[in-house]
Amino acid sequence: MTIHDKTLSRRSILKGTAGLVVAFYLPKAAKAQSGAAQGFTPATGPANFAPNAFIRVAGDNTVTVVSKHIEMGQGTYTGLTVIVAEELDADWSQMRVEGAPSDAKLYNNLAFGPIQGTGGSSAMANSYEQLRKAGATARAMLVQAAANSWNVPAADITVTNGVLKHAGSNHEGKFGEFADAAAKLPVPANVQLKDPAKFTLIGKDGVVKKLDVKSKTNGSAQYTIDIHAPNMLTVVVAHPPRFGAKVASVDDSETRKIAGVVDVKTLPSGVAVYADGMWPAIKGRAALKITWDDSAAEKRGTPELLQEYRALAQKPGTVAGSHGDAEAAFANAGKVIEAEFVFPYLAHAPMEPLDGYIEWDGQQALARYGCQFQTFDHGSIAGVLGLKPEQVKIDMLYAGGSFGRRAQTTSHLAAELAEAAKAIGPGKPVKLVWTREDDIRGGYYRPMVLHRMRGAVKDGKIVGWTDRVVGQSIMKGSPLEVMIKDGVDPTSVEGSKELPYDVADFHCDLHTTDVAVPVLWWRSVGHTHTGYAVECFVDELLQAEGKDPVAGRLEMMSKQPRAAGVLRAVAELAKWTGPAPGNGRARGVAVVESFDSFIAQIAEVSIGENGEPRVHKVWCAVDCGVAINPSLIRAQMEGGIGFGIGHILFGEVPIAQGAVVPKNFDTYRSLRINEMPEIEITILKSSEKPTGVGEPGVPPIGPAVANAMAALGLQRPRQLPMVRGAVS
Amino acid sequence: MPAYSVKVNGQIHQVDVLPDTPLLWVLRDNLKLTGTKFGCGVAQCGACTVFMDGNALRSCSLPVSALGTSEITTIEGVAGKEAEAVQKAWVALDVPQCGYCQSGQIMSAVALLKEVPKPTDRDIDLAMNGNICRCATYVRIRAGIHDAAKSLEG
Ligand code: FES
Ligand code: FES
């Protein structure tokens, strides 16, 4: 997911939602804040020395990094801790990490302005300088404390693997010994950062192990769904089968007969069953007899929407990007090629379904869950419960995946959680759990999108290009609506409104549709469809000119050195000699920049015995600036590729007359281990500032597979998923 | 509600639950053994995998009333050389991402190694394709199983 448009931070707006007033304003330079939190009291637990909101050094030598970003599988907890450990010259074994509480003053995402939250593959990018400074500050203070105690100049003290040393006087000590003394020193305003040439952790392979792995291999890692508390009630909610429907009447008599069911309440979002465990709650919900008021509900299905989208694509839309004169290029073209690409609604289906826990006594509320957008959720919970912001606290727990699903601009989950607590009354802790069916059928999908493309080819060159995009806006109706400029939601056309290729005459426009199916960012957002449309179409045009997909692209990338760099690197890695290695297999290539990272991939594909495309191997080249943790970067590429393949092959949420068709993993097919390709990755050396890797691995794989299919003599699939009507 | 006696990780517990309560919710809600996860409830994802008398089983789809005298092992209680080898390989390769599927993955991997000490890629496909990982950690799961198998040889 994302709030990655840089203009966000430069805009000053006020927008209300559920009692929340958000001001987006950030003069960037003024916000550098490490070391500025003098007098900061640590959020939890003991610490002898807490020089800022991000670091706590305890007497037992442990150093705890407070992560303002959620750990949902992308490796943030480890990645952020590495930055601090590097500047501190700490030993990796003494490092710990914990999630920050909701406090936007201390823990805002610098890429989002004054908003605390995780997304847009921004965790590393916005924390890098901040945590380097935080770590360097803590180091300087520990060194000063040691210098005072040993009565030697601070400049003569070295720090290695968490040990402070003064060679001349033979003094030696660990962080814990100086924590109390360091805490009494003034926080220096300006500290020297380490020379990157001296890094021992950042960019080094295999020197750090992920901090959360052990607890995630023995069952001890605590997720929201694992919370149990005295008197806690488990809640499941019956949501309307059609988006926009309301409860007309409820007969809960059968539900109340089920042992373990405690109560039934109607919430704004549906009918909640409160029980003393998950099973009675599920059974109780199944026994409800609800009449839904469908008068305001969405009744169109995906076939009707597709028809409407096709009709819209015949008419000009709102201009998103344009240069030269595309119409003239088409008038003079030697050859004109057209293509329509259709993308389905997609569910995120994180492995841990949505859930949340809340305690509320009428005065204070404590919510604990895999909260990804703290500032929005915080306001929403306070609004529902009629509390002041300072009466609400949110603890951020591990999330069992998200892929954008927990980054809710509308805070619908936080609101439902607070409503569930409010309806049953204060003093009753509530755990709200969505089942997989709730998740698959609950909306907030990657929007259904149609691209209508035209390309003009003349004298072996692509001279004209148009792309008409039709689909729902993610930002419309959310607190981020202000990001929509001149009628264009940037997330609808990112990757489409300008090309990485030199094309003289270009035009991209957009139709934003109105559909009651809620949509949301989904791992790599607009690039999920624009990457596919652009990279399939450019490949098709190059094929029409008889050009090699790699060399042909490179000819047109004069202004894209980093994208060209990864393309060259992946061609070298795969020993690319063209799209046809033989033995029934073919190769396709694609390169996509997203979230300021550059990824190129080559996929080797055949058609399997079951008639489905089979991806055998993927080569991947990454340029994400300074590579902080190579193993984490590779993991995100592997995961992004698998996530991408699963969805281009099988992912689809069809809707029939307003009702979602798939229910669970039996009808929303997920990639399985036997469908996962072998993967080889190269990370380019770079001194550019670090950029994200959580999302950018996803966009290139779809078009790479499609282009391989074209090389096999098949069509590039123009309507996804490639395997339609897929059930496992 | 009827009382059932269940033997989990070597200990016998009495639980008062509805007869159709899936073993998964007995483990999680009654015994607070939350390492076993809920992912689908319909035997599609493998997040709830436990051993019943040593065999891998989807605990979301077995009602407690059908358990009889069988012995259940969960991720909290899994032990032995295969379990150790798998957990070690998982840590060495940094297999988990969000981690939510991994209890199930590990239980399935341990069950595989107990039956096939030196599994081929095809054996792994067959034994592990009931376990969905939405983070798609499959490359490392496969490598982890091979590494664990190798370490058991020596
Ligand atoms: S929860 Fe049992 S297989 Fe998914
Ligand atoms: S590690 Fe996230 S679902 Fe497997």
Side-chain angles (χ1 to χ4, degrees), chain A residues 118 142 231 312 345 396 405 432 449 472 579 591 661 686 701:
Chain A
T118 304
L142 289 165
N231 304 320
L312 275 173
Y345 287 117
M396 178 176 69
R405 187 63 183 88
L432 169 72
V449 183
Q472 285 169 259
V591 54
V661 177
S686 168
I701 189 61

Side-chain angles (χ1 to χ4, degrees), chain A residues 209-210 223 278 283 671-672, chain B residues 20 29 39 92 96 98 129 138:
Chain A
K209 298 309 301 168
K210 264 163 79 173
Y223 301 82
M278 191 65 181
K283 269 188 83 127
L671 190 85
R672 292 176 184 271
Chain B
D20 57 355
D29 283 352
C98 83
N129 74 11
Y138 299 126

